[in-house]
Amino acid sequence: MRIVFFVMVYFSCYCLFGTTTNVQQVQSWTPSFQDSLRNKTYEELQSSFDKLNVYVTNDSLRAEVIANAYLYKAKIEKDTLEIANGYRLFVKALPYNYSKGLKYCDSIIKIKENGNFKQYPGKAYIYQGIIYNWTSKFDLALKSYINALKQFEKEKDTFYIIAAQSNIALEKDKLGRHKEALKTYLKNYNFLSKREDLDKYQDFYTPTLTKLSHSYNIEKKYDSSHYYSSKGILFCNTKRIDVFYPKLLLSHGTTSYLKGNYQIALDTLLKSVSLIPRNVNQIDEKFAHLYISKTLLKLQRNNEAIEHLEYIDSITDISNYHNHVREIFPLLIEHYKSIDDKVNQLRVMKKLIALDSISTSLKFDLINEITESYDTPQLIEDKNKLIEEIQNQNKKSSQKLIVLAALGMLTIFISFFFYHQKKRKQDLLSFEERIAHLTKSAYHNISKAKDLQLSPSLTEEILKKLDDFEDKNGFTENNITLAKLAKRFKTNSTYLSKIINTHKKKNFATYVNDLRIAYCTQRLKTDKKFRQYSIESIAKEVGFNSIQSFSSTFHKKIGSYPSSFIKDLENK
């Protein structure tokens, strides 16, 4: 199974668009803002544009106004180079408006015909390639990057030559041309590793090491893969680089798994997934959970492995599916088959068929024996067989129900007969014996009820202890049980259970889980750092022992899964 890391957008956006900053609120366009731009210099307009940071704020309206002011000023002054720069700002101002972005790229390329400006139209071809990549047109993206490389080679611009070559290699990887991509990665690495000014190129150096490690995993040369991922991890630690560190850990952990070093693989992968930004559209997080589950299966920790697979399943749909996590579905199918859970087995089969149908246009290779055993035609055949089997099973179940119903009627008849026989005997008992029997029975019931009745003072004492338990978040203790809490309150489980049922209107398990989910949602809303935790860490933090139990309880109580809830909070 190969590892694919989507680093091309980072290569291009970081090096060509600049770094990003944190902006808390999205500003909206106002006429006064537009008026304030009229007398600004190009440098001031560029600075205003950079501060706006469209990739964080999504404020395309303001960005487009600044770009328009820049371009208007350049056209008035008939400054061809600045006109090109104005169109460049428009491309950046509309990062997700692909048709307009391509239109402005074409405008920049045409301007080159009227002048000789360094880095143009090379940059325009790079922007064009990024847009094609975002729309999964990888062959067109590759063509754009090749055109960019030709322009940068004419200008002898080393920095952008490396940028273009890196993007070319990434596109070849996506198109399955792995050996060609590997040659380019090695060429870039040999060039970069010998430079004294490596800091200038570090944004290419760490991704190159990441992709080298990935490429050698594809070639099954695990020692080489291990060498480059280790080198990258050391470089990140030395330079305190965080962006590619989780990716290198992921590659390193995967290599350890492929080499059979399962405990090292598990430790590394768990560290990687704790650092990867949590996002349902993030392929790295899903891929990390996939290899964590595969490692746990090798370590015979099957229940934990299934929790990770079911977590990926819960956050994966048609909108964010990627072929490189396809393997989780065959693994889940096999699991549900092994425990004879036909309902979930059929559900996952149908989901996989649907996902395959929307991914056929993507040009990704999958080196995976399990995947090959579950190709779509065979999967459809297996699904139909399973449906037929369930239908036959339902038919047999119906027949069994008829037999059971008949037996039930016979049992009722026999019971009714013996009941009347018994009742007849009872009627023959003397009046005194019946009165004595009834008196004794009534006395026993009254005594039992009296034993279970709680004094008001004891009830009040236990309720105060429950309030203290809630105030101090005692419910976040992972292994809290009714018996343990009763012992802590110096009472018995029966009394405590009765008070919770009577005064909290729910059983103990529901009472504790409701407190946990309420605490969790409130903390997610108010604690940004808490929102960055992995789902597994959040679950343990609020008292759950498994991701599956947490996600299921959260969804039942809130109406959405934790990952979706956090995503909605981040988007507000």
Side-chain angles (χ1 to χ4, degrees):
M1 180 69 181
R2 70 188 180 115
I3 308 172
V4 175
F5 296 108
F6 292 101
V7 294
M8 174 162 54
V9 174
Y10 177 83
F11 276 151
S12 305
C13 291
Y14 186 94
C15 299
L16 301 177
F17 295 169
T19 58
T20 61
T21 57
N22 291 324
V23 177
Q24 299 300 321
Q25 292 182 333
V26 177
Q27 297 172 309
S28 60
W29 174 86
T30 59
S32 59
F33 173 68
Q34 186 180 32
D35 295 338
S36 69
L37 303 175
R38 290 177 181 175
N39 299 317
K40 286 186 178 292
T41 63
Y42 292 120
E43 291 77 12
E44 289 171 334
L45 288 169
Q46 180 68 59
S47 177
S48 297
F49 188 93
D50 292 339
K51 287 178 181 177
L52 187 59
N53 201 347
V54 184
Y55 290 95
V56 174
T57 65
N58 290 322
D59 194 352
S60 293
L61 285 175
R62 272 182 177 261
E64 197 170 358
V65 170
I66 297 173
N68 189 61
Y70 196 109
L71 184 60
Y72 179 78
K73 179 180 177 66
K75 287 185 175 181
I76 289 294
E77 296 178 3
K78 297 181 180 180
D79 189 327
T80 309
L81 177 59
E82 296 300 351
I83 290 174
N85 282 329
Y87 283 124
R88 175 179 60 84
L89 291 186
F90 269 108
V91 177
K92 295 168 65 176
L94 306 165
Y96 306 111
N97 192 325
Y98 305 129
S99 59
K100 275 193 177 182
L102 289 172
K103 175 183 175 182
Y104 289 125
C105 286
D106 289 338
S107 297
I108 299 172
I109 293 168
K110 288 177 181 178
I111 289 175
K112 178 64 173 67
E113 297 172 1
N114 301 320
N116 184 23
F117 310 117
K118 190 175 181 180
Q119 299 178 1
Y120 286 121
K123 278 189 177 181
Y125 283 121
I126 289 285
Y127 302 146
Q128 190 180 67
I130 293 170
I131 295 171
Y132 282 135
N133 175 71
W134 279 340
T135 54
S136 300
K137 297 176 181 178
F138 306 123
D139 50 345
L140 293 176
L142 177 60
K143 184 178 178 181
S144 296
Y145 292 138
I146 290 172
N147 287 333
L149 178 61
K150 291 176 181 178
Q151 294 298 325
F152 293 136
E153 284 176 337
K154 287 181 183 178
E155 301 293 342
K156 298 181 180 180
D157 190 324
T158 305
F159 184 85
Y160 285 106
I161 286 173
I162 294 296
Q165 286 181 165
S166 297
N167 286 354
I168 287 170
L170 286 162
E171 293 307 320
K172 286 182 177 179
D173 240 344
K174 291 184 179 181
L175 292 168
R177 295 158 62 176
H178 307 302
K179 292 186 183 296
E180 295 178 44
L182 177 57
K183 288 180 181 178
T184 304
Y185 294 136
L186 282 172
K187 180 180 177 181
N188 283 357
Y189 170 74
N190 291 331
F191 170 81
L192 293 169
S193 61
K194 295 174 183 176
R195 294 195 67 89
E196 294 181 0
D197 58 343
L198 182 57
D199 285 350
K200 177 183 176 183
Y201 294 89
Q202 67 180 22
D203 298 316
F204 299 119
Y205 184 61
T206 45
T208 298
L209 290 170
T210 305
K211 294 303 294 181
L212 277 170
S213 176
H214 146 63
S215 297
Y216 278 117
N217 271 338
I218 293 174
E219 297 296 319
K220 298 184 179 179
K221 296 180 180 179
Y222 304 132
D223 289 337
S224 295
S225 175
H226 191 272
Y227 170 79
Y228 287 108
S229 62
S230 298
K231 201 171 186 68
I233 290 168
L234 179 62
F235 184 80
C236 286
N237 285 330
T238 303
K239 299 291 184 179
R240 296 184 179 180
I241 299 172
D242 298 328
V243 176
F244 277 90
Y245 184 59
K247 295 176 181 290
L248 286 159
L249 286 174
L250 177 53
S251 181
H252 196 76
T254 307
T255 305
S256 297
Y257 167 83
L258 295 170
K259 292 179 72 174
N261 301 325
Y262 300 124
Q263 191 55 54
I264 294 174
L266 181 61
D267 294 341
T268 309
L269 290 166
L270 286 173
K271 184 175 182 181
S272 169
V273 82
S274 71
L275 297 173
I276 294 170
R278 289 168 53 256
N279 186 329
V280 293
N281 297 317
Q282 173 63 264
I283 181 65
D284 288 345
E285 182 190 14
K286 295 177 184 178
F287 202 82
H289 280 288
L290 169 60
Y291 267 84
I292 288 170
S293 66
K294 292 176 70 172
T295 306
L296 288 168
L297 288 172
K298 292 291 185 181
L299 293 171
Q300 304 298 312
R301 293 161 62 177
N302 293 10
N303 290 338
E304 294 175 65
I306 297 305
E307 286 179 6
H308 286 274
L309 292 175
E310 289 181 331
Y311 169 68
I312 308 172
D313 179 26
S314 71
I315 63 172
T316 303
D317 55 32
I318 290 177
S319 67
N320 60 26
Y321 172 65
H322 192 282
N323 279 20
H324 291 93
V325 295
R326 185 185 192 276
E327 187 177 357
I328 70 157
F329 299 104
L331 288 171
L332 278 175
I333 290 170
E334 289 298 320
H335 164 68
Y336 292 131
K337 185 177 181 180
S338 70
I339 62 174
D340 198 29
D341 185 347
K342 290 184 172 60
V343 174
N344 271 315
Q345 186 183 349
L346 181 60
R347 176 186 65 79
V348 177
M349 279 183 170
K350 288 180 176 179
K351 184 173 184 176
L352 181 53
I353 292 169
L355 294 174
D356 279 346
S357 70
I358 61 98
S359 65
T360 51
S361 61
L362 298 178
K363 301 176 176 66
F364 291 101
D365 290 345
L366 288 177
I367 304 172
N368 188 319
E369 293 179 1
I370 294 180
T371 299
E372 290 173 359
S373 69
Y374 274 95
D375 62 342
T376 302
Q378 182 63 46
L379 190 62
I380 293 173
E381 184 179 342
D382 290 345
K383 181 204 74 172
N384 292 333
K385 286 181 180 178
L386 183 59
I387 291 173
E388 185 178 350
E389 185 179 336
I390 292 173
Q391 289 173 340
N392 289 335
Q393 191 176 51
N394 290 338
K395 186 176 180 181
K396 290 179 181 178
S397 297
S398 298
Q399 292 172 345
K400 287 181 181 178
L401 283 173
I402 294 172
V403 173
L404 288 172
L407 289 172
M409 292 295 291
L410 180 60
T411 302
I412 291 170
F413 175 78
I414 293 172
S415 298
F416 188 74
F417 173 79
F418 280 107
Y419 168 77
H420 274 279
Q421 288 292 98
K422 185 177 179 180
K423 188 174 185 301
R424 189 176 178 185
K425 288 181 181 180
Q426 287 177 341
D427 289 341
L428 295 175
L429 290 173
S430 66
F431 180 75
E432 291 80 3
E433 287 176 335
R434 290 172 63 190
I435 290 296
H437 173 74
L438 291 171
T439 303
K440 183 179 179 181
S441 178
Y443 177 78
H444 173 75
N445 290 335
I446 291 169
S447 298
K448 186 176 180 182
K450 187 176 181 181
D451 289 340
L452 288 176
Q453 188 172 356
L454 300 178
S455 66
S457 60
L458 179 58
T459 300
E460 184 179 354
E461 181 184 348
I462 293 176
L463 284 173
K464 285 181 179 179
K465 289 180 179 180
L466 282 174
D467 289 340
D468 187 59
F469 171 73
E470 294 175 16
D471 292 340
K472 293 181 178 179
N473 299 329
F475 48 83
T476 60
E477 184 181 327
N478 293 91
N479 296 312
I480 192 69
T481 63
L482 180 66
K484 286 182 180 179
L485 194 59
K487 186 176 181 182
R488 193 176 301 172
F489 286 1
K490 296 181 180 180
T491 185
N492 62 55
S493 300
T494 304
Y495 288 170
L496 180 58
S497 177
K498 183 176 181 181
I499 287 175
I500 290 173
N501 275 274
T502 302
H503 293 271
K504 304 296 181 180
K505 307 300 181 184
K506 59 189 76 173
N507 61 34
F508 178 76
T510 303
Y511 167 65
V512 171
N513 283 340
D514 283 355
L515 288 172
R516 287 169 174 171
I517 297 303
Y519 169 76
C520 179
T521 54
Q522 181 60 28
R523 191 168 169 190
L524 285 171
K525 289 176 181 177
T526 58
D527 187 347
K528 291 184 179 179
K529 186 176 180 181
F530 188 59
R531 292 203 292 269
Q532 302 305 313
Y533 287 12
S534 66
I535 298 297
E536 183 177 15
S537 297
I538 292 174
K540 289 181 179 179
E541 185 80 9
V542 301
F544 288 90
N545 290 317
S546 73
I547 297 176
Q548 182 62 25
S549 175
F550 171 59
S551 296
S552 175
T553 306
F554 194 98
H555 183 268
K556 185 177 180 180
K557 183 71 177 174
I558 304 301
S560 64
Y561 287 103
S563 55
S564 300
F565 183 81
I566 293 167
K567 182 181 177 182
D568 290 340
L569 288 176
E570 295 291 349
N571 290 334
K572 286 183 179 178

